[in-house]
């Protein structure tokens, strides 16, 4: 597999020789790069791809993000997204993004102030639309609504070790930190 550094708009290959999978577009039977990155050529399957050198500034559809619930409305939870998970590593986002979690994309309840692990469903608008459907998505850290201490997990529920309050939350299996 051959590789080389390309700039946006630079000719990557001819459309007769290679098919563009991602990172390239076709104009007049020539493939041009979308972004600054490494062009990789697979001569067996005749596929040319351009992998960007930098991560995109906004989380893409299907990526896993970490957010804090900032509000609870009539139709959705309001979120502030601050980190993204790439290659099993949590990286801070350069900018904070607002997010929306509609009630039909959540399997259980969340509280204001909870930190959640969610999957991006849509990035068409300025707020990210996320979902917590699935066993590995949900609350990763919650605080007691009465005294503010960190809640501990006890079976399917969370309890406060200080004031003994028990709360139901959608918990991310294998990711709850407390």
């Amino acid at each position: 597999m051959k590789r080389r550094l390309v700039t946006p708009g630079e000719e990557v290959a001819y459309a007769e020789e290679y098919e563009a999978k991602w990172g390239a577009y076709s104009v007049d039977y020539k493939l041009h790069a979308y972004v600054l990155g490494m062009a990789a050529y697979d001569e067996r399957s005749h596929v040319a791809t351009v992998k960007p050198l930098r991560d995109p500034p906004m989380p893409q559809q299907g990526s896993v993000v970490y957010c804090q619930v900032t509000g609870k409305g009539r139709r959705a939870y309001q979120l502030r997204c601050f980190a993204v998970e790439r290659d099993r590593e949590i990286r801070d986002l350069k900018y904070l993004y607002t997010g929306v979690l509609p009630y039909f994309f959540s399997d259980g309840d969340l509280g204001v102030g909870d930190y959640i692990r969610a999957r991006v469903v849509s990035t068409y608008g300025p707020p990210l639309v996320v979902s917590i459907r699935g066993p590995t998505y949900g609350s990763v850290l919650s605080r007691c609504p009465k005294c503010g201490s960190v809640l501990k997990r006890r079976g399917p529920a969370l309890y406060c070790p200080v004031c003994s309050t028990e709360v139901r939350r959608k918990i991310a299996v294998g990711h709850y930190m407390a």
Side-chain angles (χ1 to χ4, degrees):
M1 184 178 279
K2 292 187 329 185
R3 294 174 190 257
R4 71 181 179 109
L5 183 68
V6 292
T7 59
E10 185 177 342
E11 185 178 314
V12 176
Y14 289 103
E16 292 90 13
E17 297 175 21
Y18 292 97
E19 177 186 0
K21 277 295 183 190
W22 43 270
Y25 61 94
S26 176
V27 174
D28 296 332
Y29 303 106
K30 294 178 185 174
L31 300 177
H32 298 277
Y34 269 127
V35 292
L36 175 68
M38 293 298 290
Y41 304 96
D42 188 5
E43 283 138 7
R44 286 187 137 183
S45 61
H46 297 283
V47 173
T49 59
V50 178
K51 185 177 179 192
L53 291 179
R54 290 188 195 162
D55 293 331
M58 188 168 171
Q60 300 299 310
Q61 185 173 354
S63 62
V64 177
V65 293
Y66 288 84
C67 306
Q68 182 181 18
V69 179
T70 58
K72 191 173 182 180
R74 287 179 26 194
R75 296 184 182 159
Y77 294 103
Q78 290 80 32
L79 310 171
R80 184 180 323 130
C81 301
F82 58 89
V84 66
E85 185 177 302
R86 288 196 180 98
D87 303 327
R88 295 183 182 233
E89 183 179 313
I90 299 171
R91 299 180 185 172
D92 288 334
L93 291 170
K94 187 174 182 181
Y95 305 106
L96 291 177
Y97 289 98
T98 58
V100 174
L101 173 61
Y103 290 136
F104 56 84
F105 280 139
S106 66
D107 289 339
D109 287 335
L110 296 173
V112 176
D114 287 358
Y115 290 92
I116 64 169
R117 181 177 188 264
R119 183 176 48 86
V120 177
V121 177
S122 173
T123 58
Y124 289 120
L128 298 172
V129 179
V130 299
S131 170
I132 59 169
R133 284 189 178 169
T136 60
Y137 303 113
S139 178
V140 293
L141 184 73
S142 297
R143 296 202 173 266
C144 179
K146 291 185 180 176
C147 67
S149 64
V150 176
L151 296 174
K152 303 287 184 188
R153 185 172 182 175
R154 184 191 293 161
L158 299 173
Y159 78 98
C160 178
V162 176
C163 65
S164 301
T165 302
E166 190 165 311
V167 181
R168 293 286 234 188
R169 296 276 194 262
K170 165 68 166 89
I171 302 170
V173 176
H175 295 280
Y176 194 78
M177 296 176 187

